[in-house]
Amino acid sequence: MPTFSEKYKTLDLDRPLDIAATASIASVERILQQGRARSLEEFAALLSPAAEGYLEPLCHLSQKITQKHFGKTMRMFAPLYLSNECVNVCKYCGFSRHNDIPRITLELETVEAEARILHKQGFRSILLVAGEHPKYVSNGYVEECVRRLSKFFPSIALELGPLESERYQPLVAAGCEALLVYQETYHEETYRSLHTAGPKKHFHWRMDTPERAYAAGFRRLGIGALFGLHDWHREALALASHAEHLLQVCWKAQLNVSMPRMRPAKGEFEQVEFLKDHHFVQLITALRLFLPHAGITLSTREPATLRDGLAPIGITTMSAGSSTEPGGYSSFDESTFQQTREQEGEQFHIADERSPKEVAAVLARLGYEPVWKDFDQSLVRA
Amino acid sequence: MTQQTTQPLRIGDREFTSRLFVGTGKFSSNEAMRDAAAASGTELVTVALKRANLSGDSDPFANILDFLESDRYLILPNTSGAMNAEEAVRIARLAAAAGLPKWVKLEIHPDPNYLLPDPIETLAAAETLVKEGFTVMPYINADPVLALRLQDVGCATVMPLGAPIGSNRGIETRAQIEIIIEQARVPVVVDAGIGAPSHAAAAMEMGADAVLVNTAIAIASDPAAMARAFAKATQAGREAYEIGLGATSSKAEASSPLTAFLNA
Ligand code: SF4
């Protein structure tokens, strides 16, 4: 079975790209009628200008499909940044090697203290995030973090530099449930121009990470593209096709897709093309119609009003009250939920600054139950 | 409305008047879930253990169990999320240790998308848990041979699906469910796929002993009202079954009898 990166080399995106540009109103209506996009071509049609005119019915259908599979619920999670040390140069990222920011890898005690804060806020599902650094962020360190946190976090996910399958195994054994790795851009040339130094240069190696993670036993896989780096139609098509491949090959894994949009960060990076709000909505509905069972994650990169609008039309997983700086949670004021100091070491600046409690209250008002715990450590560990 | 009394249903050491079982996932709030369960008149609710706090402490962020009065309902823990027998057995034991009833709805689905049950792992887990004294109710595909094998190892019921979970497509596996019912020595609970009260009634008319409904109630615009609708349909289907529906096809008299020559 070829891996996705092998398949990708010969994947013809020109035809679906053409459909995404020129699809007819009739073809969009047909997809709406059948209630689902059954091929990459149909997915492409949903990205088209023709589909833009059907945003309202597409949102309704997307909501219906999502509620059928996920109910009127929203899974809540929080990222915990372990380290902002990074050997990579990624032009759009605040942690990029040449950026002059205070660098830190949290001591285990601090990790636990940060996690306790999140636990107190209600989170039972946590995403450990770290830059890529063989010295500071080594396997033993992350494993130890997982071991400590698994005592009070039923679900632990990771977002780290890609590893070999064998190096993922101890992390699964320690209690990790999920692995997230975003391709950033699926356009190889753009990828090379943005990742100029460090192991992240290797486009194909990164692309096959979810499959290596699956082989190691992770049961939830997250993929995504960072929108704003390249043409959004192309990124969406590649992402959808990656998801389609993983659903076939990694059939035991729950798949989650993310479509983060660029946020301001340290460095001089200018985004190529900002994904407009209505296109963002169109993209979410297209993904939902093509991947009815996939989780779709929305982070605090997006502003509050937009998040509240998107929550009922296809999103299944949300973070809230996030800090993207290692050690950032301990500087939140507990009563006002304001940062008590400048977040100099953050990866990017979040847009929805509401507390988890506030977000949960809004979800409840929208008719959604925030689900904090949806996994149990006893499933993965004796 | 005068309620016709139908025969009670016996599973393990418990007796149930209502033949409608309800699931507790997918509701817009725990309050909506509690109200729907009450309105359904059910005496058995199933709860995903992965959503509950099994440590014994109360956790306001994983408190689904706090919304279910244990004197009103039998709380049937389910193993949803388990991908194999080992995981299912582990989480069932943990639930029992946490003080939940020693009952389990075995749900083992390695494919997280369609949530179709794994027959091999289900049989293995059932065998282990029955030996440990659990009352085991396995969720299965509508496979008559598997249903028999599960009865042989001591399961208290079998729970074949009408259609995939959450699909609301009704009893699409009718032909196999009919065989399962015909051969069953334990109650048959039709689980999954029941999207409308008419589906529940159809299952009951076929002779199913009970139905389990979740998605169709949970995502209805008024879950409690929908729960009542399901309760009536389930009851009506059962009544019809007990009265005996005219067996239309096999005994009908043809307009020109083909056996008339025998009387000549
Ligand atoms: S995107 Fe990741 S790998 Fe790149 S610089 Fe930032 S932290 Fe490092």
Side-chain angles (χ1 to χ4, degrees):
Chain A
M1 189 74 181
T3 64
F4 184 64
S5 80
E6 285 159 5
K7 238 190 214 175
Y8 194 65
K9 285 176 194 153
T10 55
L11 187 71
D12 174 23
L13 285 181
D14 290 342
R15 210 181 102 72
L17 269 173
D18 186 50
I19 297 174
T22 62
S24 66
I25 282 177
S27 65
V28 176
E29 283 185 346
R30 200 185 54 240
I31 298 166
L32 267 166
Q33 218 151 47
Q34 73 191 22
R36 181 169 173 183
R38 297 188 190 278
S39 61
L40 200 61
E41 282 71 27
E42 290 186 351
F43 173 75
L46 294 176
L47 305 176
S48 69
E52 258 182 81
Y54 289 83
L55 217 46
E56 192 58 37
L58 282 169
C59 285
H60 278 280
L61 182 55
S62 177
Q63 175 179 73
K64 209 170 121 199
I65 298 171
T66 311
Q67 288 190 354
K68 210 166 104 175
H69 294 299
F70 296 87
K72 294 182 176 176
T73 62
M74 188 69 67
R75 276 147 199 79
M76 308 297 292
F77 79 99
L80 197 172
Y81 280 67
L82 301 175
S83 170
N84 59 9
E85 305 274 3
C86 195
V87 293
N88 290 316
V89 173
C90 304
K91 289 195 177 157
Y92 48 84
C93 176
F95 294 171
S96 190
R97 187 163 86 195
H98 299 314
N99 285 345
D100 181 23
I101 55 162
R103 301 280 175 174
I104 184 173
T105 300
L106 300 183
E107 302 283 340
L108 290 170
E109 281 66 36
T110 319
V111 171
E112 193 167 329
E114 288 269 297
R116 294 259 177 221
I117 295 172
L118 293 171
H119 190 272
K120 208 166 140 201
Q121 291 170 355
F123 293 106
R124 301 293 178 268
S125 171
I126 199 170
L127 168 67
L128 304 181
V129 189
E132 187 163 1
H133 203 295
K135 193 162 122 227
Y136 299 107
V137 187
S138 68
N139 226 11
Y141 167 74
V142 182
E143 224 180 295
E144 198 41 49
C145 290
V146 171
R147 213 165 282 128
R148 283 194 181 218
L149 302 190
S150 66
K151 278 180 270 169
F152 53 106
F153 274 96
S155 163
I156 300 174
L158 299 177
E159 189 175 346
L160 318 162
L163 298 174
E164 291 285 359
S165 201
E166 301 78 63
R167 295 192 53 203
Y168 278 133
Q169 280 161 5
L171 294 164
V172 171
C176 283
E177 184 221 349
L179 188 98
L180 277 58
V181 58
Y182 300 162
Q183 190 61 28
E184 322 293 13
T185 171
Y186 282 88
H187 188 251
E188 194 167 349
E189 227 174 283
T190 306
Y191 187 95
R192 288 192 200 292
S193 72
L194 294 170
H195 305 99
T196 48
K200 196 165 170 178
K201 276 194 312 196
H202 304 290
F203 180 75
H204 297 283
W205 162 253
R206 186 170 188 86
M207 198 173 253
D208 290 335
T209 307
E211 287 162 78
R212 291 196 305 277
Y214 178 70
F218 282 103
R219 52 210 289 156
R220 195 154 52 85
L221 300 173
I223 60 169
L226 182 53
F227 283 83
L229 303 178
H230 190 70
D231 167 54
W232 76 275
H233 278 172
R234 198 170 207 292
E235 299 288 22
L237 284 165
L239 176 63
S241 134
H242 194 183
E244 194 183 24
H245 171 83
L246 293 176
L247 284 171
Q248 286 168 0
V249 177
C250 308
W251 65 273
K252 286 186 181 179
Q254 165 73 47
L255 189 68
N256 257 72
V257 294
S258 290
M259 47 290 139
R261 296 192 295 179
M262 283 294 305
R263 293 284 309 157
K266 282 263 160 65
E268 262 91 69
F269 184 74
E270 286 285 324
Q271 45 184 318
V272 180
E273 182 199 67
F274 182 73
L275 178 61
K276 295 185 190 76
D277 286 357
H278 67 278
H279 286 152
F280 192 44
V281 173
Q282 198 182 346
L283 171 62
I284 292 171
T285 62
L287 285 168
R288 177 51 73 223
L289 264 68
F290 184 54
L291 307 165
H293 297 106
I296 299 183
T297 307
L298 189 66
S299 78
T300 53
R301 280 171 181 269
E302 300 300 340
T305 43
L306 188 71
R307 295 223 307 160
D308 298 350
L310 294 177
I313 62 167
I315 305 301
T316 60
T317 313
M318 265 191 171
S319 51
S322 304
S323 161
T324 71
E325 179 183 51
Y329 290 113
S330 40
S331 61
F332 276 114
D333 181 293
E334 239 182 87
S335 51
T336 62
F337 208 77
Q338 296 293 312
Q339 280 291 353
T340 52
R341 61 169 173 79
E342 186 72 13
Q343 301 262 295
E344 281 182 346
E346 65 183 1
Q347 188 185 27
F348 58 86
H349 197 69
I350 65 165
D352 182 352
E353 295 181 327
R354 293 173 298 179
S355 69
K357 202 168 149 191
E358 280 173 87
V359 173
V362 171
L363 286 172
R365 265 207 304 284
L366 292 170
Y368 284 77
E369 161 93 5
V371 173
W372 304 91
K373 178 179 185 291
D374 192 38
F375 194 73
D376 202 273
Q377 273 288 312
S378 67
L379 288 166
V380 278
R381 275 187 330 163
Chain B
M1 190 174 72
T2 41
Q3 279 276 321
Q4 164 100 21
T5 31
T6 44
Q7 294 159 11
L9 167 63
R10 224 189 146 72
I11 300 175
D13 59 359
R14 299 276 295 231
E15 210 163 66
F16 303 89
T17 313
S18 163
R19 289 170 180 266
L20 172 62
F21 300 161
V22 299
T24 53
K26 297 189 174 178
F27 282 88
S28 64
S29 67
N30 284 333
E31 289 78 7
M33 182 272 288
R34 179 186 58 202
D35 296 347
S40 74
T42 191
E43 292 146 296
L44 183 151
V45 294
T46 175
V47 176
L49 292 171
K50 61 178 183 165
R51 294 247 339 239
N53 174 24
L54 301 176
S55 70
D57 312 335
S58 102
D59 179 351
F61 294 95
N63 59 351
I64 190 163
L65 290 170
D66 298 353
F67 287 79
L68 297 163
E69 301 101 311
S70 55
D71 48 354
R72 181 167 189 173
Y73 311 110
L74 172 74
I75 292 172
L76 176 64
N78 77 59
T79 62
S80 123
M83 289 169 60
N84 54 45
E86 192 189 324
E87 292 173 4
V89 166
R90 201 154 59 214
I91 197 161
R93 284 178 187 152
L94 204 70
L100 285 166
K102 216 174 168 182
W103 285 56
V104 64
K105 180 186 170 205
L106 261 188
E107 246 184 276
I108 305 180
H109 30 66
D111 159 22
N113 297 312
Y114 289 96
L115 304 172
L116 292 167
D118 182 324
I120 300 161
E121 299 293 325
T122 303
L123 183 61
E127 213 167 348
T128 307
L129 290 169
V130 167
K131 279 189 195 134
E132 293 181 13
F134 281 85
T135 302
V136 179
M137 301 174 63
Y139 167 57
I140 58 168
N141 213 318
D143 177 343
V145 175
L146 177 64
L148 290 170
R149 294 282 307 264
L150 287 160
Q151 293 174 55
D152 286 348
V153 302
C155 288
T157 62
V158 286
M159 305 179 81
L161 56 83
I165 292 186
S167 69
N168 289 352
R169 295 161 75 123
I171 316 295
E172 291 198 327
T173 54
R174 175 178 279 271
Q176 291 95 296
I177 290 188
E178 277 171 355
I179 301 172
I180 294 176
I181 291 172
E182 181 194 322
Q183 297 179 326
R185 309 184 300 274
V186 298
V188 177
V189 183
V190 175
D191 182 1
I194 294 178
S198 57
H199 301 154
M204 298 310 293
E205 287 171 6
M206 283 166 66
D209 295 279
V211 290
L212 195 150
V213 183
N214 188 354
T215 310
I217 294 176
I219 70 172
S221 59
D222 185 342
M226 187 58 89
R228 273 191 292 276
F230 269 99
K232 289 179 203 158
T234 307
Q235 175 70 15
R238 180 65 195 181
E239 284 173 25
Y241 173 77
E242 287 186 11
I243 297 160
L245 284 168
T248 48
S249 54
S250 55
K251 285 183 189 162
E253 301 265 329
S255 47
S256 18
L258 297 175
T259 50
F261 68 95
L262 292 173
N263 305 321

